[in-house]
Amino acid sequence: MYNKRIELTEEDYYLNEQGFKVFTEKYHLKRGHCCQSGCKHCPYGYDKKTNSFKQ
């Protein structure tokens, strides 16, 4: 029912100017699936505006 917790490393995220965590492409690949939230570094090509995946 719950997803397995992924331990974060320094390569998995950075803090933006507002202090929020921004997950890197490496983290998303480690997680193994797209969450369809429109992440900035999504390696799966999801576009939240069109609700579709780029090819």
Side-chain angles (χ1 to χ4, degrees):
M1 181 171 182
Y2 294 101
N3 293 333
K4 185 177 178 182
R5 183 179 172 102
I6 299 172
E7 295 298 322
L8 295 176
T9 65
E10 291 181 12
E11 298 174 334
D12 291 336
Y13 70 95
Y14 60 90
L15 298 178
N16 68 7
E17 295 169 352
Q18 293 79 28
F20 293 107
K21 283 184 185 175
V22 179
F23 291 106
T24 63
E25 181 177 356
K26 182 175 181 176
Y27 170 78
H28 292 292
L29 291 172
K30 186 189 299 186
R31 192 168 86 194
H33 68 278
C34 180
C35 63
Q36 298 183 351
S37 295
C39 300
K40 183 174 184 174
H41 300 291
C42 180
Y44 302 103
Y46 180 74
D47 184 354
K48 190 171 183 174
K49 292 178 184 175
T50 61
N51 193 29
S52 64
F53 289 90
K54 299 174 189 170
Q55 293 184 5

